[in-house]
Amino acid sequence: NNTQSDQKSTDATKTNSGYQPYYLNHARGSTRIRQASQRIGAAMGSLLASYIICYLSASITLEDVGLTLPVLRDLAWGFLIGLFIVTIMFIMEIWLGWIA
């Protein structure tokens, strides 16, 4: 009981050479890595801009804007946990053949 939309989605995953591996969210790994790198760069730029503004300002410190050592430690742990999860997912996608 395939409907017409089911058949179209099945045809979209085939190429001339046969079956094309499924890409998570229909994005290639290189695209996702590039986008993640851009997000990391934007986050690092925000932290650097905050540091520069606080450094140049006589009345505002990093503690005033909530960027103290315990907060940075929490951010680092969050980053490492997220990195671990994404890395495991990436390895599984390669292992399952979703990324060619």
Side-chain angles (χ1 to χ4, degrees), residues 15-91:
T15 63
N16 293 337
S17 63
Y19 185 74
Q20 177 182 353
Y22 172 75
Y23 293 109
L24 186 63
N25 297 329
H26 306 286
R28 295 176 45 204
S30 60
T31 301
R32 292 190 311 158
I33 289 172
R34 185 178 62 247
Q35 290 173 347
S37 299
Q38 290 171 342
R39 290 184 186 111
I40 290 169
M44 298 303 284
S46 297
L47 288 173
L48 179 63
S50 298
Y51 173 77
I52 290 172
I53 289 171
C54 291
Y55 179 78
L56 296 175
S57 173
S59 61
I60 299 175
T61 64
L62 285 174
E63 198 172 272
D64 293 337
V65 295
L67 294 176
T68 59
L69 189 57
V71 172
L72 294 177
R73 190 177 309 129
D74 290 343
L75 287 174
W77 272 110
F79 175 78
L80 290 174
I81 291 169
L83 179 68
F84 175 75
I85 292 169
V86 170
T87 302
I88 293 299
M89 288 173 47
F90 183 70
I91 290 169

